[in-house]
Amino acid sequence: MMNRNIILLATLLFIVFIGVYANHFYNGFHFDDSHTIVDNVYIRNIKNIPAFFFHPEMFSASPAHWGLRPMVTTTLAIDYWLGKGLNPFYFHLSTFIWYGLLCVMLYFVYKQLLSNAIKTPDVKYLSLFGVAWYALHTANAETINYIISRSDVLSTFFIVSSFFIYIRWPHLRNKFLYIIPAFIGVFAKETVLVLLIILFFYIVLFEKGLSLRQLLTKEHFPQIFKTIGQLFPLLIVVGITQIYTLSKINAIEGISNPLGPYVLTQSYVWLRYFIAFFLPLNLSADTDWTVIYNPFDERIIIGVSFCIALIWSIFKASEKTATKPIAFGLIWFAAALLPTSLAPFAEVTNDHRMFFPFIGLMLSVVMAMALCLEKYSSVWKKNVFSRSCVIFIALFIVGLNAYGVYQRNKIWKDEETLWLDVTVKSPLNGRGLMNYGLSQMAKGNYSVAEEYFNKASVYLPYYSTLYINIGILKSALNSPELAEENFKKAISLDPGAFAPYVYYAQFLKDTHRLVEAQQMGEKALAINSSSLFLLNVLTEVYQQLELWNELKETAKKTLVLLPGDAKALSSLAFAEDKMSFKRGDVSKETKAKTAADYLNQSLYYYNSKDYNSCIEACRQALKIKPDYADAYSNMGAAYNQLKQWDKGADACRKALSINPDHPLAKGNLEWALKQREM
């Protein structure tokens, strides 16, 4: 009867689980999704999957974020392939499936751990309640909605898998099967080493039956070394694999805070996470918390006091069999927070960091509730009203969290809704203000965008990306001088970065300063040769400069990244066609015989900056071939160089009347018209 009830309740939970997350499947890409997914050309070809395990540059389009998380990149490539493009539904569905599988496994983990402490048929119901609370916990919506945070979901899934195999089938430990999921998990995120801590204390508390106080006595010291010995194969495999992944990157992005103050600040952050488990009310995609430098700040004192109380609770709970799951869950909570607490990241706190620790905290809370219910079982089990109250409280907790998830899904809908929420919840976060400004600039609300960029500059006076965005805005507002000033400031603030050069190159191209655009673009190319955006900018620059060999090489680079790309194939064919003419180039002394000969002469004169002779050669070509679009295009380019904008525009229009898709004529016509209006 009980098993049937569990199956019915689990089925109901599954239906609610899908219903609560139903409004998140089409939510957009956000934040780091831009460079790891949207702009990452490598995930667009599923044949790249083996290479993901060796090439850190394939993880991101941004060199600052290159790393080796091939399990994440592999799943993203599969999503792209299934969705035939950047269809957010498939990316969210993939994360959701992994999350669902994790929750299923957690039921059996909780059931086994609770059964070690209490012998009651209610363990199954308690375990299912814990899973329901975790699956629908409001804070977890931050991880599930943020696609690139799949790294947290995957690494947690494989850690729990290894842990489950270890505790469920102890007779298979000598075959080391439990190590396999952990090995895979290392390729998702650098948190799998925490599994060693979790397993160590599981063995100590549940298999050896020791309390932490006993463990620290001299007579039990050998147990420490014996337990470490049991886990040594796991340490070797995971450790070596982790060393391999870390050796593939130069530095971990975002580690910029001083270690001492950062670690002290984490004590207060831990308290924030602990409170958020029970009251997830102020979640933010990007908080405005900063490092606290004063060690006597009241927040540090409160945080350190909390950590001391946490340690005391762990020691106290470890002394009795009935409370060991509480101690173990708190150890899990603390251990899972260690990686982000000891590495001084720029972000002091992130809500997706709660995803893995909350598994342990959930175990502690459910076990504490179980002991409370067991203590008063004679009252509530015999009284219908009391029993109804217990069920109501359980449903209220889960239901309230489910409602929170549904509301957070709405916040994550698009860039505007997400970053507006950040500006409200984290008003001192310059990056949040900037990103909300970006969402407004994308909609054409330039005045609002400028307002938020100005607010952001108060908190981010030295943030290169902010000045790139201000430059783009000023360009859209037809203020080229201010735009250029901001692009140059962005470069000066971060001269080794890729983004300032490429966006400055785009600006220079759009203002027809092609030689300078070429220089900036090639600087960006030296930093990052796998940016499709940059290659597209350089393609247009080389076409307009009529640098056919460079155009050809750029098209080839694009085709390496995106085999079969129509635009790159067209550019390659166009360059090779022009180069075939160039192989028959004639100097000004060579007598021209055909229209093509005169066109080659015009190119010679143009590259020699003899624009009048270029125009004359084009006229001679047109006498032989009146519908020669290339001749009109070259003539228009030469007139533009002479700043004879009306004649340049007229020649380009004639070229386009013959060939409406002529790439050079279009660009030169736009240039002529824009300059004529100024």
Side-chain angles (χ1 to χ4, degrees), residues 308-320:
I308 292 171
L310 180 67
I311 294 170
W312 179 86
S313 299
I314 291 171
F315 270 81
K316 191 71 177 174
S318 70
E319 293 178 356
K320 296 180 180 179

Side-chain angles (χ1 to χ4, degrees), residues 165-329:
I165 293 170
Y166 189 91
I167 68 172
R168 180 65 182 82
W169 295 286
H171 60 284
L172 295 178
R173 291 176 189 175
N174 290 335
K175 296 183 179 180
F176 306 115
L177 295 179
Y178 73 95
I179 296 178
I180 296 174
F183 169 72
I184 298 171
V186 176
F187 294 110
K189 196 173 183 181
E190 301 80 7
T191 53
V192 178
L193 283 169
V194 171
L195 176 62
L196 288 159
I197 300 174
I198 292 171
L199 283 176
F200 176 85
F201 285 103
Y202 171 80
I203 295 169
V204 167
L205 293 174
F206 295 106
E207 296 190 350
K208 297 188 182 300
L210 300 175
S211 69
L212 297 192
R213 196 186 306 275
Q214 288 175 318
L215 185 65
L216 295 179
T217 59
K218 187 176 180 180
E219 61 183 296
H220 288 107
F221 269 11
Q223 297 291 348
I224 295 177
F225 298 107
K226 188 176 180 180
T227 303
I228 293 173
Q230 283 181 246
L231 300 175
F232 192 69
L234 176 65
L235 173 63
I236 293 296
V237 172
V238 172
I240 291 175
T241 309
Q242 192 71 84
I243 290 170
Y244 165 73
T245 60
L246 293 176
S247 71
K248 289 290 183 176
I249 56 176
N250 295 324
I252 299 176
E253 169 66 13
I255 294 184
S256 57
N257 274 311
L259 180 60
Y262 177 88
V263 171
L264 273 178
T265 304
Q266 287 304 301
S267 64
Y268 191 61
V269 171
W270 282 28
L271 176 59
R272 173 184 179 260
Y273 292 154
F274 186 83
I275 294 172
F277 178 88
F278 301 98
L279 297 170
L281 300 175
N282 198 34
L283 300 173
S284 174
D286 198 16
T287 72
D288 55 6
W289 283 43
T290 56
V291 165
I292 303 168
Y293 288 92
N294 180 8
F296 301 105
D297 187 289
E298 62 180 9
R299 293 166 294 177
I300 296 295
I301 294 171
I302 293 171
V304 170
S305 299
F306 166 75
C307 290
I308 292 171
L310 180 67
I311 294 170
W312 179 86
S313 299
I314 291 171
F315 270 81
K316 191 71 177 174
S318 70
E319 293 178 356
K320 296 180 180 179
T321 301
T323 54
K324 282 184 186 294
I326 297 176
F328 181 67

Side-chain angles (χ1 to χ4, degrees), residues 542-554 571-572 574-579 582 603 607 634 664:
Y542 290 145
Q543 273 193 328
Q544 293 184 45
L545 286 173
E546 301 183 349
L547 298 173
W548 310 125
N549 188 60
E550 287 82 353
L551 176 61
K552 178 181 177 181
E553 293 305 312
T554 302
S571 296
L572 180 61
F574 188 76
E576 289 179 338
D577 182 55
K578 290 297 182 181
M579 289 175 72
K582 200 167 184 179
L603 288 172
N607 291 328
N634 285 1
L664 300 181

Side-chain angles (χ1 to χ4, degrees), residues 578 581 585-586 592 594-604 614 617-618 621 628-632 634:
K578 290 297 182 181
F581 280 121
D585 270 355
V586 288
T594 66
D597 290 339
Y598 280 113
L599 185 71
N600 285 328
Q601 272 194 348
S602 75
L603 288 172
Y604 173 86
C614 173
C618 289
Y628 206 174
D630 287 346
Y632 279 118
N634 285 1

Side-chain angles (χ1 to χ4, degrees), residues 25-41:
F25 287 105
Y26 288 96
N27 285 354
F29 299 99
H30 301 289
F31 214 178
D32 286 345
D33 291 345
S34 62
H35 59 84
T36 54
I37 302 172
V38 178
D39 296 332
N40 187 356
V41 295

Side-chain angles (χ1 to χ4, degrees), residues 46-95:
I46 202 166
K47 293 180 181 178
N48 285 329
I49 287 177
F52 294 153
F53 289 81
F54 306 99
H55 299 285
E57 68 274 12
M58 289 185 165
F59 177 68
S60 168
S62 168
H65 295 85
W66 284 351
L68 211 62
R69 291 183 179 177
M71 273 302 298
V72 178
T73 319
T74 294
T75 59
L76 294 174
I78 294 170
D79 297 340
Y80 188 93
W81 174 69
L82 289 172
K84 297 180 173 57
L86 292 169
N87 185 339
F89 173 81
Y90 288 91
F91 289 87
H92 284 299
L93 178 63
S94 178
T95 302

